[in-house]
Each structure stands twice: as C-alpha cells, then as structure tokens.
Amino acid sequence: MGRHSLPDDAAHGSTGSAPASARRRTVALATALVLAVAGGTAVAVQRGLLSFGHSCAATAVRLDLVASPDVAPAVAAVAERAREQKITSDGSCMDVRVTARDSYKVAASFTSRSRPDFAVWIPDASMWVDRAKDAAGSATVVTAGHVADSPVALGVVPASAKALGWPQKTYTWAELATATAGDDKVRLGTADPAHSATGLLALSCIGKSAGRGAEAGTRTAALAKVLSQRVSDGDGQVAGTLGALDTANSRKGNSSSHTSGAVVLSEQAAFAYNAGHHAQGADQGVRLFYPKDGAPQLDYPYTMVRESGMSTDESRAAMRFLTLLGDSESARVLAARGFRAPGQPVADALPSAAGGSSPQPYASASADPPSAQELQDALGMWTITVQSARLTTVVDASGSMAATVPGSGGRSRMDVTKASLLQALAQFTAEDEIGLWDFATHLDGSRDYRRLVPTARLGDPSPGGRTQRDKLSAAFAALRPVPDGATGLFDTTLAAYKEATSTYASGKFNAVVLLTDGANEDPGSISRADLVAQLQKLTDPSKPVPLIAIAVGPQADADEVREIARATGGVGYQVTDPADIQAVILQAIMALGQAQHHG
C-alpha cells in the first residue's frame, strides 16, 4: 500500500471512535481557503469532474454517499484526498461519490419497497436514521460511527444580543424563547421542525424546559404558533433571514415578517454565517446564546444502508472511509468548517468564531438527547398547533354578560371576554379562517343568533383596504350585552354546528368555539336531549368538527356544556375568569388536534 494508506485492519473494527490524538480538531487553518477548496470539491465530485490516475481506475471500489448539505463539502474534500493520494481499501482505491441531500428528504424516501441509490448516508442527526428505520425496518440502516458534532443554540444579531445581555446573561431554553418570541424588535425565527433537526431539537428542549402540565403545554403551543409565522423551509434558509433587523437596516426602514433578529441554528451554521460576513466587519456577525440547561447536538451519524446491494468490497471500503474521516487531516478540514469532534473537548477558538463568548456555557455538557417519544410529541404539537384552523366563534351576548368580574377593575364579563378573544386572535396566522356569531334570545327576529362576520381567511381583503383580521378585531371590540337578553344556547349551538359541518374545510382543523355564561333560557328551543341527538347525527368522523364549549363564570352550567361538546367529539371547560379564555382555546385546539392526529 502507498505511504498515505492507513492499515486495512484499522477499518475492520472501526466504530468511528479514533484515538483522541487523531480526532482532535483545530481551527487554526486559514478558514476561507479551506471553505473555498472544500466547496469547489463538492461541486466537482457531484458533477463527476474528478478522476483517478490510470493506475487506480481499473481497481477502484465505487461508494455512493449521501450527506447533509452542511457537512457534504467537507466529506467531499476528504473523498478527493482519497483519490489524489490513492488511499486504498484492501489494495483497491476508493471512488467515493458525495451528493448533498436534505436529511428529511432522504429519511422520507425510505419505504419497505424502496431501493436507495447510495450505500452510505450521513444525515445531520440520528433522529432521521430512527425515522428511516420506522419506515423501512431496522435492518435497512445501521449506524457505524459519527463524523462530527455541532450544538444547537440561538443566533442573535449584535443589536438584539446586546439588548438581551449577551454574553454575560445566560438563559434556559424556555427563558430564551420567552424573551425573543414575543418581541417584534428581536423576532425569533426557526427552520421548520418538520424538516429540520435543529428546529425540532430546539422545540423539544423548549417544551421540556417549560415544565409539565397543561399551563406549560399551552405556553409552548403559543410559542409554536408565533414561530410558525416566522418559519423557514429548512436550515439552509433560516440563517439567511438574519441581519435584516440590525441597526443598518433599521435606519433604512426595512421591515419584513420573514426576517429575524434571532434564529435557532447550529454552532456550525453560525460559524459559516460569520465566515461569510467577515468581510463586512465584525459587527455584521451573529452572536450565540448557549442555553444553560444544555444544548442538544447534531451528531452526524455515519450510516450504512444495508439494502442498497453493498458487496463485501463496498462494505469494507465504507468502513475504511469512516476511518479516513477520523484521521488528523480530515479533522482539520471538518474543524475549519466549524464542526466539533465527537465526544472531544472543544477549543475556545471554534465557539468564538461561531459567535460564542464566555460566560456563555459553550463548553459545558450537552443536553440529554430527547427520546424518540419526546421528539414525536414535539413534532405532533408543532404540526397540530401550526396547522391552519377554521373556527366559528360563538359568543354569548345575554344580559348577564354585563356582570362585573371581581378583581378586574370594574370590567364586565363581556369586556374581559373580548380582550381575551382579541389576544387569541393575535395567535392565528393569515391562513387561518375565523368567523363570529353572537347570541341571546330573539336577537334577530325569532332567531337567537346573528352571523356578525362570515368565516374566512384572516388574510383575505375586506372593504376599505382592511383584512378579515381587521374586520374581526372590530367586531370583537363591538360586542355588547343585550339588555334583558336571555341565553338562547341550544338553537344557536345547533345552527352554528350545522353551518360548520356543511362548510367543512379539508386539511384544516375545523371547530366551533362556543362561549356562554349561563344555561339555556329559551323555553321555545329544542331540548338538551334533542340537541345532543342531532349533534351526534351531524358528526362525521371522517370530517371532524369538534365543539369547544367554554362555560364562563359561576352561573354557567359546566355539565351542560360538557355534555353538548362530547356529542361532537369535542371538549367542555369552565373558567371563572374570562381572561383565561385565550389559553383554554389554544389548549383545546392542541389536545383535540393531537387526538385527531393519533386517531
């Protein structure tokens, strides 16, 4: 073997854990040069422009390798070194062809009938390997080692970082999310957790950090709803949303709902961002907050795809290439692109180049990896919470809604209810569809209800240059109790439910949200038993429209609203303080949506 080859027996038992001296990374290399060479190599390899000398061409073992786009250029540079130096596996040269593909797309491509067109896969996180196993069976993919690590943190533009106390002030995940998500001066953004390990790991950690219980779950869901309005398709796009809220752009008056002053991203992505913005000056780079309750890791598993028809030579070459990725030369290439060595202490220079600074806990132990169930729960919560909704909101306008709420400074039930509804409205996106009814006895001739605002997309235009959201906000604000009006609950509930089921919108979370502060008081209406029977007949499991019934105040009949709601597969609640309505609505949507998702 040539002098550049490692002993073949070093590959036979390799798990990707080379000695510490061989795995040690350094960032002393000239970053710009390595980035340029590695990036050019990746393009050349994918286009098939690189070739062996004549002596290797006849015996080379071809290995098709798919890697996450962030690590693919470094892996391609190592593959090219193997070509140039004629590094061998069992006496044969290695022809490693590297292709960059998004990890979520690769994971989704695995099915029981699929035949992958690659032998080795390096996604950015082990969660994708688990997902592939679920789709195609555990024997299909086997993790042989890990190529690199990169902690997940929060990148913030300089002006926002200063406002948040960087680097002296440290935060938990929940505290970071709270401090940035609701602040329009910062604007927290993320890659879509359905497509991004970075986004999903962070969301899982935020939920875990927030604690257990319905209240914590509601806060996390509310955060998810805010984040959904500032989400990027993938990791490759999220860093590009940074910087538009910095001082220079603020002076120019730039503003966009798709720009962020803070984003969830990996340390390596921050490193790459800062390297690309170095020429613009130090103030253009990102600063990193490392949560003090631990940062989850992207762990870049080196995965053998067993059902792709690998021969013995290919399998041995794959293990040989894994060993090569762990040697000192490859370590320098990976470190120069901002990757940490798996399981090794990190040199201060790497986090510093990525935007980290003491006392941010960049060198402390990482967070325990979320379990598969925790990740699934986080993804389910995200999917349901950010799913577009179609809601018909039905509000009691009977005279009792004028009663004063204790401890509210003299405000009536209707006043507090309206304020809570307006807070809830702010959590919904332009794609959500919401309408408004009110009800009291004989409110509209012989009918107990009025359709104040037809259900439509909040982003749809409305006369006068307004939107459906503007129209709804005005209608909520205009709600008034009807003097001497009684609670016409049953007829109203049936009418609203009939309309909601007849206008069911596929692909959305459909529901009727009913708020009442009393029991049915219309003697001429249908009975409770008739209402429940008719609701059950209207309910279609293939087109679910649950009723979310909220009894407001001590006079409301909680048992009545629960029975009515259950007839539709919905839920009933009682709140003593109308200010809790916003949280209850969001909690109900999350609980019912998850039930539909798992059902």
Side-chain angles (χ1 to χ4, degrees):
M1 293 180 16
R3 65 182 179 87
H4 296 291
S5 298
L6 298 177
D8 284 348
D9 60 5
H12 296 172
S14 172
T15 62
S17 298
S21 60
R23 301 291 290 173
R24 192 172 295 118
R25 307 295 198 250
T26 173
V27 292
L29 229 60
T31 300
L33 175 61
V34 175
L35 294 182
V37 171
T41 300
V43 173
V45 169
Q46 290 183 56
R47 293 179 179 174
L49 300 178
L50 301 173
S51 61
F52 290 107
H54 181 72
S55 62
C56 262
T59 62
V61 178
R62 174 166 172 170
L63 194 68
D64 290 301
L65 185 153
V66 169
S68 176
D70 50 351
V71 79
V75 175
V78 176
E80 172 54 12
R81 177 163 67 92
R83 293 169 180 270
E84 290 181 343
Q85 299 179 357
K86 299 182 178 62
I87 298 174
T88 63
S89 168
D90 290 340
S92 297
C93 293
M94 294 184 294
D95 179 12
V96 182
R97 311 285 183 92
V98 180
T99 302
R101 289 184 194 168
D102 290 323
S103 299
Y104 80 93
K105 292 180 180 178
V106 178
S109 72
F110 282 87
T111 68
S112 58
R113 297 179 299 278
S114 67
R115 295 189 62 82
D117 60 353
F118 50 91
V120 176
W121 176 32
I122 308 177
D124 58 4
S126 293
M127 56 175 277
W128 302 120
V129 180
D130 293 338
R131 195 167 298 183
K133 288 179 180 179
D134 289 342
S138 59
T140 303
V141 291
V142 176
T143 297
H146 294 269
V147 172
D149 283 339
S150 189
V152 175
L154 191 77
V156 186
V157 296
S160 297
K162 183 178 180 181
L164 292 171
W166 182 91
Q168 286 78 21
K169 188 170 183 179
T170 58
Y171 296 80
T172 64
W173 274 108
E175 290 167 348
L176 267 175
T178 301
T180 57
D183 189 343
D184 279 340
K185 295 180 180 178
V186 177
R187 288 186 183 272
L188 175 61
T190 185
D192 187 346
H195 297 163
S196 162
T198 301
L200 185 56
L201 286 168
L203 188 64
S204 179
C205 286
I206 290 168
K208 189 174 183 178
S209 179
R212 299 184 180 276
E215 184 178 347
T218 299
R219 288 198 304 267
T220 304
L223 168 67
K225 199 68 177 177
V226 172
L227 276 176
S228 71
Q229 301 175 59
R230 304 167 187 167
V231 72
S232 301
D233 287 340
D235 296 317
Q237 293 79 40
V238 70
T241 69
L242 272 170
L245 299 180
D246 63 17
T247 303
N249 283 282
S250 295
R251 285 197 297 265
K252 296 175 184 177
N254 291 346
S255 178
S256 170
S257 60
H258 299 292
T259 56
S260 304
V263 294
V264 174
L265 78 176
S266 70
E267 181 183 74
Q268 189 277 332
F271 181 99
Y273 180 90
N274 286 346
H277 288 74
H278 181 71
Q280 299 179 26
D283 288 342
Q284 298 302 311
V286 68
R287 310 292 189 261
L288 278 188
F289 282 94
Y290 295 79
K292 61 185 179 183
D293 48 351
Q297 301 273 341
L298 300 181
D299 59 353
Y300 300 91
Y302 189 91
T303 307
M304 312 279 278
V305 182
R306 295 298 185 186
E307 290 185 357
S308 62
M310 291 176 71
S311 66
T312 300
D313 286 344
E314 289 170 335
S315 179
R316 290 169 69 86
M319 294 305 296
R320 178 70 183 87
F321 189 63
L322 172 59
T323 303
L324 186 63
L325 284 167
D327 74 12
S328 58
E329 290 187 54
S330 299
R332 285 191 290 271
V333 172
L334 285 161
R337 293 193 67 88
F339 293 99
R340 297 188 181 193
Q344 299 296 318
V346 61
D348 291 344
L350 195 159
S352 178
S357 182
S358 183
Q360 291 298 316
Y362 56 79
S364 62
S366 62
D368 292 335
S371 67
Q373 186 59 53
E374 287 173 333
L375 290 172
Q376 182 61 39
D377 289 346
L379 181 59
M381 183 273 292
W382 170 264
T383 302
I384 297 307
T385 304
V386 305
Q387 181 185 31
S388 293
R390 178 179 173 84
L391 306 178
T392 302
T393 309
V394 185
V395 181
D396 192 341
S398 60
S400 56
M401 289 291 285
T404 301
V405 175
S408 68
R411 291 193 299 167
S412 69
R413 285 180 194 161
M414 182 64 87
D415 292 333
V416 179
T417 296
K418 291 190 298 184
S420 194
L421 286 171
L422 286 167
Q423 284 182 318
L425 181 62
Q427 302 296 325
F428 291 93
T429 72
E431 296 303 315
D432 293 313
E433 301 178 29
I434 301 180
L436 175 64
W437 294 27
D438 68 348
F439 69 98
T441 49
H442 307 298
L443 187 61
D444 184 13
S446 61
R447 294 191 303 185
D448 293 340
Y449 54 86
R450 293 182 299 190
R451 297 177 181 87
L452 298 177
V453 180
T455 304
R457 284 179 67 256
L458 292 178
D460 282 353
S462 191
R466 301 189 304 165
T467 63
Q468 172 78 355
R469 185 188 297 275
D470 297 329
K471 190 174 180 180
L472 263 177
S473 296
F476 280 144
L479 286 170
R480 298 286 185 273
V482 177
D484 301 323
T487 305
L489 181 62
F490 293 164
D491 286 349
T492 300
T493 301
L494 182 59
Y497 197 74
K498 281 182 176 179
E499 180 171 290
T501 53
S502 66
T503 57
Y504 178 87
S506 180
K508 293 180 180 286
F509 174 81
N510 294 250
V512 174
V513 179
L514 176 72
L515 299 100
T516 181
D517 75 338
N520 182 69
E521 298 172 328
D522 184 356
S525 72
I526 60 173
S527 68
R528 185 198 298 189
D530 286 341
L531 172 62
V532 169
Q534 292 198 49
L535 290 176
Q536 289 173 335
K537 288 181 181 179
L538 289 168
T539 300
D540 181 352
S542 67
K543 297 179 179 179
V545 184
L547 173 64
I548 301 170
I550 304 174
V552 183
Q555 281 76 45
D557 190 333
D559 291 336
E560 185 170 76
V561 299
R562 290 190 181 108
E563 182 182 359
I564 293 169
R566 279 197 300 268
T568 69
V571 288
Y573 297 88
Q574 183 166 29
V575 297
T576 56
D577 186 348
D580 295 332
I581 290 171
Q582 175 211 3
V584 167
I585 290 174
L586 192 56
Q587 180 182 336
I589 290 174
M590 187 170 66
L592 291 169
Q594 285 180 328
Q596 290 178 14
H597 180 69
H598 292 301

